[in-house]
Amino acid sequence: MITMFRTCLRGIYSCHWNQRSNEQKSDRCWLSFLSFVSILALSWMYICFIAFNDHYDVNNELFKAVKKWVNWYMIVMIISAVLAIYCLLLLVFGLLHLAIKEPLNLHCLHKVFLFLGLLAVTLETAGFCFKWEKQWKAIYMSFQATAPFLQLSAVVALTVISCLVFQSYHRAKTTACKIFIMMTFLVVSAAVFLCPLAICSPCITSNLPPKPALIGHRGAPMLAPENTLMSFRKSLECGVVAFETDVQLSKDKKPFLMHDCGKNFLLRTTDVKDKFPGRDGSNNFTLQELKTLNAGKWFSRSDPFWTLSSLSEEERREADNQTVPSLSELLVLVKKYNVSLIFDLKNENNSTVFQSSDSFYTTETINKLGISPDKIWWLPPEYRHDVMKMEPGFKQVYNKQKEMLMDGGNFMNMNFSSLSAREISELRKSNVSVNLWVVNERWLFSLLWCSGVSSVTTNACHLFKDMSKPDWHLEPNMYKGIWIATDIVSLLLMIGLFLWQRRRLTGDWSTGIY
């Protein structure tokens, strides 16, 4: 059995199934290189996992470039996962070789794959830095949620690896080499054991803030085509307090709902290519023409969030029959269900005077329908003061703190990575409402809940509606107890492994038997 195990291990790692080969000096360097690539692959996988919150934005940006909807992010995730699993399995085989004194002859094919893996991770990281730099703030934020668990995992990994470290220590032939091995291990161990002193997570607290309110980002776009009436009705089922949408003006100056703007603004979510070939730009279509477009079949065809399977046949038919809504249609829902409305004006910069601006026509439409002014959360900054004169009852929402303070406002709307937990706490103490966008993952929602935000704008309201508490939340004393207990158990196990390795490799030191 042991011989078969050694043969399989050797065959997988070095492809020497029938005979044992001699170890070369460079073979241990390859084990070090394998460890390096494994750490990089795991780190990249972590980045992909954290950045998944915004994967829809990545796919959307790539759609603009190639004019075809593909879930590119999921492809990258799958490739990254395969690479990480491959490297980790190969590393485990290498460490087992080391433990049972098998030669570390890594096969040339594995070496080629490792170089390709290193190249892939390097290129992906470079692209991430170049195109998606803001996500580094999200990665930093994520450690507030994951650091306690990463530390516990590091303690477990260190305890397991200590067996090999102690083996190397006892086999070392010179005192200097033994001192180097042990000092390095002690420094790393001290850093891992004591790093909770530097961990600062809002979810380690005795005072848990109230659950943030939910705002439907373009409705509930995971359950229905974005910015359609079906999508907003679906978000009402989640108990949202407000709709978030995007408003543009048609050729006849009627506000309608559509996120994409520019030349091909209708291409992604409608059948404009079939109905009006060769036409583009929102000012080239009347509202009546826009209403003839289908705004739902793209959702069934592309399944942008991989959620289509959760819909019933009836819901799929309803989704397929959605059209481009006017702002007036959405305001009817706002009035009927007594929810609020926050929106962006996608083409406001095209206007030079207020009376011809999107802000003017949008405000006029709102007032005509008799919507309670306090239900409108006004976000567009371009003609804010003109709007305040035209309708002083709108609740003004700001994305810049300096502008809010100058106007005496009390409502901030910012990207989720723009504010630290401390800044959120200070704003809340000043009675400023804080809404952060776009929050789609439970870990992020839990972290912002612990941080005390007032509300979040989300694509995933159905995932958050039934949460009664954050995914994790610990009293400081309980976390301290877990940390200390884990460190003590790990330390005792390490001492036991050290003594066992010493006895196994050098004999019974008390009797002098070798």
Side-chain angles (χ1 to χ4, degrees):
M1 182 66 75
I2 295 176
T3 303
M4 186 181 296
F5 172 73
R6 284 177 175 269
T7 302
C8 290
L9 199 62
R10 188 168 60 243
I12 293 171
Y13 190 79
S14 61
C15 292
H16 295 137
W17 293 91
N18 298 321
Q19 60 181 355
R20 175 173 175 157
S21 59
N22 294 322
E23 184 175 305
Q24 305 295 322
K25 288 183 178 180
S26 61
D27 288 334
R28 294 197 175 233
C29 294
W30 278 108
L31 182 62
S32 300
F33 180 70
L34 170 58
S35 303
F36 174 68
V37 176
S38 298
I39 291 171
L40 284 183
L42 269 180
S43 301
W44 173 247
M45 195 66 222
Y46 178 84
I47 291 172
C48 289
F49 170 75
I50 296 303
F52 190 78
N53 181 79
D54 290 335
H55 75 280
Y56 185 77
D57 293 340
V58 176
N59 291 335
N60 197 23
E61 287 300 316
L62 289 170
F63 172 84
K64 294 176 183 177
V66 300
K67 301 296 184 293
K68 183 176 178 61
W69 183 270
V70 177
N71 199 333
W72 298 105
Y73 196 91
M74 189 58 67
I75 294 172
V76 172
M77 284 278 287
I78 291 170
I79 293 172
S80 302
V82 169
L83 175 62
I85 292 170
Y86 167 74
C87 290
L88 284 175
L89 287 176
L90 204 58
L91 181 60
V92 169
F93 291 142
L95 294 176
L96 287 172
H97 270 65
L98 199 62
I100 63 177
K101 301 180 184 179
E102 279 287 334
L104 293 167
N105 304 127
L106 185 65
H107 193 266
C108 60
L109 196 59
H110 289 314
K111 294 175 183 178
V112 171
F113 285 154
L114 287 177
F115 270 115
L116 290 176
L118 178 61
L119 179 64
V121 171
T122 303
L123 291 175
E124 288 170 336
T125 305
F128 187 89
C129 294
F130 179 70
K131 280 287 189 181
W132 223 14
E133 187 178 352
K134 67 176 184 179
Q135 281 299 323
W136 287 115
K137 291 183 179 179
I139 304 302
Y140 174 77
M141 271 183 69
S142 72
F143 288 120
Q144 296 180 342
T146 61
F149 304 101
L150 292 175
Q151 190 267 340
L152 294 175
S153 301
V155 170
V156 173
L158 193 66
T159 306
V160 174
I161 293 172
S162 67
C163 188
L164 292 174
V165 174
F166 297 149
Q167 186 182 84
S168 300
Y169 170 81
H170 289 303
R171 286 177 178 172
K173 296 180 180 179
T174 64
T175 303
C177 188
K178 288 189 174 188
I179 292 174
F180 175 77
I181 291 172
M182 191 52 68
M183 288 303 297
T184 302
F185 182 72
L186 289 174
V187 169
V188 172
S189 299
V192 171
F193 286 156
L194 298 177
C195 71
L197 293 173
I199 292 175
C200 182
S201 172
C203 288
I204 301 176
T205 179
S206 301
N207 302 309
L208 184 64
K211 179 180 177 179
L214 302 178
I215 297 173
H217 184 240
R218 309 176 203 170
M222 289 188 179
L223 304 176
E226 66 177 57
N227 275 334
T228 61
L229 294 181
M230 178 184 177
S231 184
F232 292 109
R233 284 194 293 267
K234 281 287 185 183
S235 71
L236 287 169
E237 296 174 11
C238 301
V240 298
V241 299
F243 298 144
E244 188 279 343
T245 189
D246 310 277
V247 178
Q248 303 185 46
L249 289 188
S250 63
K251 185 178 181 179
D252 49 346
K253 302 300 181 183
K254 301 290 178 61
F256 67 96
L257 311 185
M258 181 63 59
H259 172 265
D260 295 3
C261 57
K263 183 178 179 180
N264 297 306
F265 80 111
L266 293 170
L267 184 61
R268 180 174 64 89
T269 59
T270 74
D271 57 351
V272 66
K273 200 172 181 180
D274 300 324
K275 293 279 182 64
F276 300 101
R279 289 177 63 180
D280 50 48
S282 60
N283 57 357
N284 286 334
F285 294 89
T286 65
L287 182 61
Q288 186 176 359
E289 289 174 324
L290 290 167
K291 295 295 291 181
T292 66
L293 297 174
N294 182 285
K297 286 184 178 178
W298 74 275
F299 180 79
S300 300
R301 186 173 60 251
S302 60
D303 195 7
F305 293 99
W306 287 23
T307 53
L308 193 63
S309 60
S310 66
L311 303 185
S312 66
E313 285 299 321
E314 184 180 348
E315 288 172 326
R316 292 188 193 189
R317 285 194 295 270
E318 183 183 357
D320 285 344
N321 292 319
Q322 293 301 297
T323 58
V324 177
S326 66
L327 177 61
S328 298
E329 289 175 293
L330 181 60
L331 289 170
V332 171
L333 282 182
V334 168
K335 190 173 184 179
K336 181 178 179 180
Y337 293 99
N338 197 34
V339 294
S340 297
L341 178 66
I342 183 171
F343 52 86
D344 287 311
L345 293 175
K346 305 302 290 186
N347 301 306
E348 187 63 291
N349 291 328
N350 297 341
S351 307
T352 56
V353 293
F354 176 60
Q355 283 71 20
S356 63
S357 67
D358 289 23
S359 293
F360 176 81
Y361 288 105
T362 301
T363 304
E364 190 175 55
T365 300
I366 293 170
N367 286 340
K368 281 180 181 178
L369 285 168
I371 304 296
S372 178
D374 65 314
K375 292 298 179 182
I376 303 301
W377 299 354
W378 189 271
L379 181 61
E382 287 81 8
Y383 292 101
R384 184 186 300 279
H385 294 103
D386 294 296
V387 170
M388 290 170 73
K389 293 175 183 177
M390 186 174 179
E391 180 46 78
F394 289 170
K395 185 180 289 186
Q396 298 298 318
V397 183
Y398 300 82
N399 53 23
K400 294 180 181 177
Q401 191 171 354
K402 184 177 180 181
E403 183 184 351
M404 180 190 72
L405 294 174
M406 288 177 61
D407 286 353
N410 62 354
F411 201 146
M412 292 289 297
N413 179 69
M414 301 185 74
N415 182 270
F416 71 86
S417 62
S418 298
L419 296 173
S420 66
R422 180 182 57 81
E423 290 170 327
I424 292 169
S425 178
E426 289 176 355
L427 286 168
R428 297 297 291 127
K429 286 177 182 177
S430 301
N431 293 321
V432 174
S433 297
V434 178
N435 179 66
L436 299 182
W437 52 270
V438 172
V439 178
N440 300 320
E441 295 296 309
R442 288 178 64 104
W443 73 265
L444 182 56
F445 182 70
S446 297
L447 181 65
L448 297 177
W449 183 341
C450 295
S451 299
V453 299
S454 316
S455 57
V456 298
T457 301
T458 178
N459 294 326
C461 62
H462 62 295
L463 299 181
F464 306 147
K465 66 175 182 177
D466 295 325
M467 288 179 65
S468 58
K469 59 183 179 180
D471 279 347
W472 78 273
H473 162 248
L474 287 175
E475 297 279 340
N477 289 336
M478 180 177 288
Y479 174 65
K480 191 180 295 183
I482 294 172
W483 160 41
I484 294 173
T486 304
D487 284 3
I488 290 174
V489 170
S490 174
L491 188 60
L492 291 174
L493 286 173
M494 285 181 183
I495 293 171
L497 288 169
F498 179 83
L499 296 176
W500 175 72
Q501 285 283 10
R502 178 179 174 182
R503 182 164 190 156
R504 190 175 70 87
L505 294 171
T506 63
D508 189 339
W509 60 89
S510 62
T511 61
I513 298 174
Y514 290 86

